[in-house]
Amino acid sequence: MNAIDPAWFAAIAATMLAAFAARQDLGLKLQFGIPAITALMIAMTALLALTPILPHHAAWFAALALCCGLIAEIDRRHFLIPDLLVLALAGLALTAPFATTAIEMLAGALLLGGFFLAVRAGFARAGQNEALGLGDVKLALVMGALLGPQYGLLAVACAGLATLAIAAPRVLRNGASTLGAGAPFGVGLAAALALMAGLRLWGAA
């Protein structure tokens, strides 16, 4: 184990940013949020360290899963993706333990970020300004950097299918105009990011 591996620092920084995001968007006071989120992070790391990965990789993934879980909950409640959590994921992207070259990171960020920005512009032209927020664009950009273009696109496809499956009953009842209502895409994106990162980390992708 390399105690000064950058993944440790990224995991610690992400945990602190998660505590501040929980205070800002979930109303969890820092005196409770910091110890509670830190304890959860430590417990998750300990459990993950029982699997065939290095301890600092376990801490890295625990921090990523924690941030993704908070993104999903905050987006479910408030239809927003906090910049603090996107920043935390950006730090984790720079220290990802699986092989993603700098070129792949840049290509993934440009591909996913550009794609989501274009989709957002299309919704805006159609008069649906709230269908896809800037938070989703930022999250997609970081997802692309973390996963690379191939796995990033796969994660987006998984998130899209999951979101459509959740929204389908309401759309069938009320029409296509309700597609974006009540189905925050950040929930699917966060879940797909954690899933794909886990598959890559454990060598299943």
Side-chain angles (χ1 to χ4, degrees), residues 9 16 23-24 47 64 79 81 88 125 139 187 201-202:
F9 296 106
M16 292 301 101
R23 179 195 65 173
Q24 177 178 294
L47 288 174
L64 182 139
F79 288 86
I81 298 173
R125 290 192 192 96
L139 178 56
V187 175
L201 182 58
W202 273 272

Side-chain angles (χ1 to χ4, degrees), residues 31-54:
Q31 59 263 42
F32 304 112
I34 289 179
I37 289 176
T38 300
L40 179 59
M41 165 68 176
I42 292 172
M44 292 170 63
T45 299
L47 288 174
L48 291 168
L50 298 176
T51 68
I53 59 173
L54 296 171

